């Protein structure tokens, strides 16, 4: 990922494990993104509320709309509302 360019904030996540899951999810997309504060979050969660020490995801400004769509898809997957395309539907077993 190139350090130059205009990156904008997509989301802040207080849970470092959820941040790792989102990182893996976005890593499979064509979106260029930066994760900030991942290392500090794990250590500092014992001292600070998670909301004050969140992992910050930034994406290139021109990819923001697509990144928001992917974030919504990720949240639906986490809530169990959609089945990832790599898994066969339950009735095909």
């Amino acid at each position: 990922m190139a350090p130059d360019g205009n990156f904008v904030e997509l989301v802040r996540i207080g849970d470092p494990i959820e941040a790792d899951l989102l990182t893996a999810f976005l890593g499979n997309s064509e979106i260029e993104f930066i994760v900030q504060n991942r290392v500090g979050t794990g250590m500092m969660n014992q001292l600070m509320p998670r909301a004050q020490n969140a992992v910050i995801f930034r994406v290139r400004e021109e990819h923001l709309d697509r990144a928001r769509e992917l974030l919504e898809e990720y949240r639906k997957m986490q809530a169990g509302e959609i089945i990832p395309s790599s898994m066969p539907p339950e009735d095909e077993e």
Side-chain angles (χ1 to χ4, degrees), residues 13-17 19-20 23 34-48 53-57:
I13 297 182
D15 182 348
I17 294 171
D20 288 346
T23 298
I34 296 172
V35 179
Q36 295 178 314
N37 197 35
R38 174 56 187 98
V39 175
T41 300
M43 294 182 291
M44 295 302 290
N45 274 347
Q46 303 302 320
L47 305 172
M48 300 174 70
N53 193 40
V55 178
I56 303 166
F57 287 81

Side-chain angles (χ1 to χ4, degrees), residues 11-84:
V11 67
R12 290 174 181 247
I13 297 182
D15 182 348
I17 294 171
E18 184 180 348
D20 288 346
L21 291 172
L22 181 58
T23 298
F25 182 81
L26 290 177
N28 291 327
S29 71
E30 295 178 9
I31 302 285
E32 190 170 348
F33 65 97
I34 296 172
V35 179
Q36 295 178 314
N37 197 35
R38 174 56 187 98
V39 175
T41 300
M43 294 182 291
M44 295 302 290
N45 274 347
Q46 303 302 320
L47 305 172
M48 300 174 70
R50 288 181 176 185
Q52 292 180 355
N53 193 40
V55 178
I56 303 166
F57 287 81
R58 296 185 182 277
V59 297
R60 287 205 181 268
E61 189 170 25
E62 62 267 21
H63 297 152
L64 184 58
D65 289 338
R66 178 66 181 136
R68 285 180 176 155
E69 290 173 5
L70 289 170
L71 179 60
E72 184 64 26
E73 181 180 334
Y74 167 79
R75 287 179 171 160
K76 285 180 180 181
M77 281 180 30
Q78 293 298 71
E81 294 178 25
I82 60 174
I83 298 171

